[in-house]
Amino acid sequence: MTLEEKILTSEARVFKTVFPNNTNHYDTLFGGTALSMMDEVAFIAATRFSRLRCVTVSSDRIDFTHPIPAGTIIELVGRVETVGNTSMKVRVDIFVEKMYEEGREKAVTGIFTFVALDEHHKPTKIIV
C-alpha cells in the first residue's frame, strides 16, 4: 500500500449533533468541546494510520472561522498530513450544516501532533 493509500484509508469521519448542553451563552458550541472532539478524531486517524499506541503531544493551531450554533449537525474529518520518524501531524476540519437546509461550511480547522509509543511508553518508529 502506498503512503497516499494508507492516508486515505485511515481518514476518520464522525458526525455529531450540537445540543444546547454543549453550547455557551451565545448558543454556539463551546470551543473546549470542539477541541475535545477534534483531538478524539485526530487520535482515531493517527491510530488507524500507524496501528500503534499514540498520544497527543501538541495542537499546533486551531482556527475558529465560523460559529457552530445549537441545533446543527457537524462532521469532523481527521486526516494524517505528515509522517515523521515517531510522530505524525493530523489535520481535523469541522464542517457545520443546518438540519433542515442544504449546504455546509467549514467552521474549524486544527493540526494535532501525535507520537507513537511502544509497550514501554517510549517513542517508537512509525512504519510506512
Side-chain angles (χ1 to χ4, degrees):
M1 182 180 300
T2 68
L3 176 62
E4 185 58 34
E5 289 171 333
K6 196 169 183 180
I7 287 171
L8 283 173
T9 60
S10 65
E11 185 176 273
R13 292 177 173 268
V14 173
F15 288 88
K16 298 260 188 194
T17 304
V18 180
F19 290 110
N21 63 323
N22 286 323
T23 62
N24 58 29
H25 58 290
Y26 293 112
D27 291 326
T28 59
L29 184 65
F30 279 118
T33 302
L35 287 171
S36 175
M37 291 177 186
M38 292 172 79
D39 187 36
E40 182 177 357
V41 169
F43 167 79
I44 292 167
T47 302
R48 292 183 75 207
F49 179 85
S50 67
R51 295 300 176 183
L52 296 167
R53 293 175 179 92
C54 296
V55 293
T56 309
V57 293
S58 72
S59 55
D60 301 341
R61 180 180 175 119
I62 310 296
D63 292 314
F64 295 86
T65 56
H66 183 76
I68 301 174
T72 56
I73 297 167
I74 58 173
E75 179 183 16
L76 297 99
V77 181
R79 183 178 176 151
V80 172
E81 293 271 304
T82 60
V83 182
N85 219 13
T86 62
S87 66
M88 62 202 114
K89 289 190 182 281
V90 180
R91 176 191 178 111
V92 179
D93 295 312
I94 299 180
F95 297 91
V96 63
E97 58 185 80
K98 295 179 181 173
M99 284 193 190
Y100 309 111
E101 294 178 24
E102 293 294 327
R104 70 186 209 156
E105 56 189 323
K106 191 186 313 183
V108 185
T109 297
I111 303 292
F112 296 81
T113 303
F114 286 81
V115 168
L117 301 177
D118 65 15
E119 63 276 1
H120 305 292
H121 306 288
K122 302 292 182 202
T124 189
K125 184 166 178 54
I126 298 169
I127 301 168
V128 181

